[in-house]
Amino acid sequence: MSATEPAPHYEVRVAEDPADREACFAVRKDVFVAEQRVPEDIEYDAYDAEAVHVLAVRADGEALGTGRLLHGAAAAAKNGDGDPAVGSLGRLAVTASARGLGVGAALVRAVEDAARARGLTAVDLHAQTHALGFYERLGYAAYGPEFPDAGIPHRAMRRAL
């Protein structure tokens, strides 16, 4: 950000308290369940309890976006090679009104910071194919074939930290 650019009117933080976690789940419901028609029973899973959730909120408290980091055994079960030193970024969602404001990139960087804090060496993710360019601009590289997840085409991607 240059000296002439205004500071973003939102903050990104780890969702520590129940209200923040509920805000994360509400964003996911708006984006994935309502907008993308992902069945609600597969949107929320057992990984949510142990995941690190990040939340972007506007100064007035409105939730703008969320993402989560799986680490340890949960991440090893999701990433391409079962490596426990590789985290798994997932459930990245930005509300329609906040798209284009840099919220998604800020959430990815917050997840990466959380991964570094846990001693992880890389972050894997499963990107919807329309979002490959977004993640590539953030330093992620696709690997492996395209695959469906919740009926939506995805590719695996990774970035070393």
Side-chain angles (χ1 to χ4, degrees):
M1 180 168 21
S2 73
T4 59
E5 284 183 60
H9 297 288
Y10 61 87
E11 71 167 334
V12 177
R13 63 180 183 246
V14 172
E16 305 265 359
D17 64 47
D20 278 355
R21 283 186 170 240
E22 286 306 313
C24 291
F25 297 148
V27 169
R28 286 168 48 185
K29 186 171 185 172
D30 287 347
V31 174
F32 295 125
V33 177
E35 188 178 322
Q36 296 184 357
R37 308 256 184 261
V38 172
E40 194 164 359
D41 62 327
I42 65 171
E43 172 51 32
Y44 308 101
D45 58 28
Y47 295 119
D48 280 327
E50 298 300 319
V52 176
H53 298 270
V54 294
L55 176 67
V57 291
R58 218 169 45 194
D60 66 3
E62 181 183 340
L64 302 177
T66 188
R68 76 176 185 187
L69 171 70
L70 302 181
H71 52 92
K78 289 271 216 185
N79 69 42
D81 51 13
D83 186 345
V86 177
S88 179
L89 185 160
R91 302 307 201 264
L92 187 75
V94 176
T95 61
S97 64
R99 293 179 193 148
L101 302 177
V103 173
L107 287 163
V108 170
R109 296 306 186 217
V111 166
E112 292 170 351
D113 289 346
R116 279 187 202 91
R118 286 158 180 77
L120 303 178
T121 60
V123 173
D124 254 29
L125 58 87
H126 294 164
Q128 294 181 9
T129 55
H130 72 83
L132 288 172
F134 166 77
Y135 290 110
E136 287 168 346
R137 288 188 294 279
L138 294 173
Y140 288 80
Y143 67 90
E146 184 177 293
F147 60 93
D149 188 1
I152 301 167
H154 283 71
R155 291 276 311 274
M157 302 186 85
R158 179 173 289 184
R159 178 172 187 260
L161 296 177

